């Protein structure tokens, strides 16, 4: 079996992204380490079994988020494959200790506004962004007025958004998921950075532009953590 083409799943439009954050039951801490390791082996097994179709990223939230202990980001071309993975995880030996606290799905799409931006802005947007170790995930819901505006009006506001955010594109890496109809939110915004203070400044800068007035819900819940390989995550949870 071949591992899913991660590169494609993480870069192409038309891919589903699911964010699943879990809390680990307090009973977990009462288990001896050998039992914890045996349970975590079942976790690793379920992830490996589904890597054929899915790209699965893991994050440690414990210590930075009070919502959850860890998070998985799952990319796939079929939502039912993601569902099967998460059902298999819940049914595994490790799954008995898990409570799902956040579950959000969205779809990657081709840029809606960028093609109409001035050439210079388009070029500036192509610059590289630094990644991790920090991760922030903010669900966003727009108001009904936003969706009733013409494409032209929204494009003008998104250009303003982009110009305000551009100074931070070097230090903040971003990825956007469209969730309208697939979840209770309209967007899931995903960020990685080495500098949380830059991310903080970016949010303050974006809150000033007109487009932000159409955010009915932003964050709530904001998920914050660090990027970890599956092995690194398992090591922390085994302790
Ligand atoms: C859309 C740039 C940070 C929320 C966009 C688009 C661009 C952009 C170019 C338009 C994509 C398209 O053509 O469809 C940036 C840059 C950022 C940044 C350079 C800084 C690194 C943020 C942050 C948030 C955010 C911090 C909120 C937490 C959104 C949302 C959309 C969007 C919700 C979709 C709007 C829509 O389609 O109606 N951003 N952004 N962005 N951005 Fe940002």
């Amino acid at each position: 079996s071949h591992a899913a083409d991660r590169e494609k799943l993480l870069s192409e439009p038309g891919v589903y992204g699911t964010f699943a954050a879990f809390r680990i039951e307090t009973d977990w801490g009462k288990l001896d380490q050998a039992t914890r390791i045996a349970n975590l082996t079942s976790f690793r097994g379920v992830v490996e079994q589904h890597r054929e179709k899915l790209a699965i990223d893991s994050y440690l939230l414990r210590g930075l988020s009070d919502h959850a202990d860890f998070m998985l980001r799952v990319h796939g071309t079929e939502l039912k494959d993601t569902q099967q993975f998460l059902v298999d995880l819940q049914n595994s030996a490790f799954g008995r200790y898990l409570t799902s606290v956040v579950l959000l799905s969205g779809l990657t799409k081709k840029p809606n506004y960028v093609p109409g931006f001035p050439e210079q802005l388009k070029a500036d947007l192509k610059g590289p962004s630094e990644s991790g170790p920090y991760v922030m995930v903010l669900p966003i819901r727009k108001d009904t007025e936003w969706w009733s505006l013409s494409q032209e009006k929204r494009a003008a506001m998104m250009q303003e958004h982009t110009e305000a955010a551009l100074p931070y594109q070097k230090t903040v890496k971003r990825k956007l998921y469209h969730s309208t109809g697939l979840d209770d939110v309209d967007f899931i915004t995903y960020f990685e950075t080495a500098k949380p203070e830059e991310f903080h400044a970016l949010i303050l800068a974006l809150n000033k532009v007109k487009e932000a007035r159409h955010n009915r819900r932003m964050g709530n819940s904001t998920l914050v953590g660090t990027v970890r390989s599956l092995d690194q995550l398992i090591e922390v949870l085994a302790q």
Side-chain angles (χ1 to χ4, degrees), residues 109-115 117 121 125 129 138-140 142 146-147 154 158-159 161-174 176-178 186-191 199 202-203 206 211 215 218-219:
K109 291 171 79 173
K110 285 193 190 133
N112 193 7
Y113 307 104
V114 172
F117 285 177
L121 189 54
L125 277 171
S129 303
L138 285 77
I140 291 177
K142 293 286 185 183
W146 174 258
W147 296 107
R154 278 183 282 123
M158 287 317 295
Q159 186 173 327
H161 167 104
T162 303
E163 285 160 354
L166 204 58
Y168 303 93
Q169 105 140 356
K170 236 187 91 167
T171 50
V172 179
K173 184 175 155 184
R174 72 201 152 91
L176 182 67
Y177 302 82
H178 297 252
D186 289 313
F187 301 97
I188 305 163
T189 59
Y190 170 96
F191 306 93
F199 186 71
L202 163 63
I203 296 292
L206 282 179
E211 171 256 347
N215 288 337
M218 170 146 160

Side-chain angles (χ1 to χ4, degrees), residues 25-68:
E25 297 298 323
T26 46
D27 285 356
W28 177 257
K30 295 178 197 144
L31 300 174
D32 58 71
Q33 202 187 29
T35 310
R36 280 204 295 272
I37 289 171
N39 281 314
L40 289 165
T41 302
S42 76
F43 178 29
R44 189 198 308 273
V46 174
V47 171
E48 265 155 26
Q49 186 195 328
H50 287 272
R51 279 211 159 130
E52 196 183 328
K53 287 183 176 167
L54 304 170
I56 302 166
D57 293 296
S58 44
Y59 307 85
L60 182 69
L61 304 192
R62 175 184 288 178
L64 289 179
S65 174
D66 63 355
H67 307 295

Side-chain angles (χ1 to χ4, degrees), residues 15-28:
V15 174
Y16 293 96
T18 298
F19 292 81
F22 298 93
R23 189 176 300 136
I24 302 175
E25 297 298 323
T26 46
D27 285 356
W28 177 257

Side-chain angles (χ1 to χ4, degrees), residues 3-18 50-56 73-83 85 105-108 177 182:
D5 194 338
R6 257 189 81 79
E7 199 66 29
K8 275 192 175 177
L9 287 174
L10 287 169
S11 62
E12 288 188 349
V15 174
Y16 293 96
T18 298
H50 287 272
R51 279 211 159 130
E52 196 183 328
K53 287 183 176 167
L54 304 170
I56 302 166
R73 180 181 66 164
V74 187
H75 285 99
T77 52
E78 297 277 356
L79 265 182
K80 63 180 168 59
D81 295 333
T82 301
Q83 181 183 37
F85 163 59
S105 290
L107 179 65
T108 59
Y177 302 82
L182 303 177

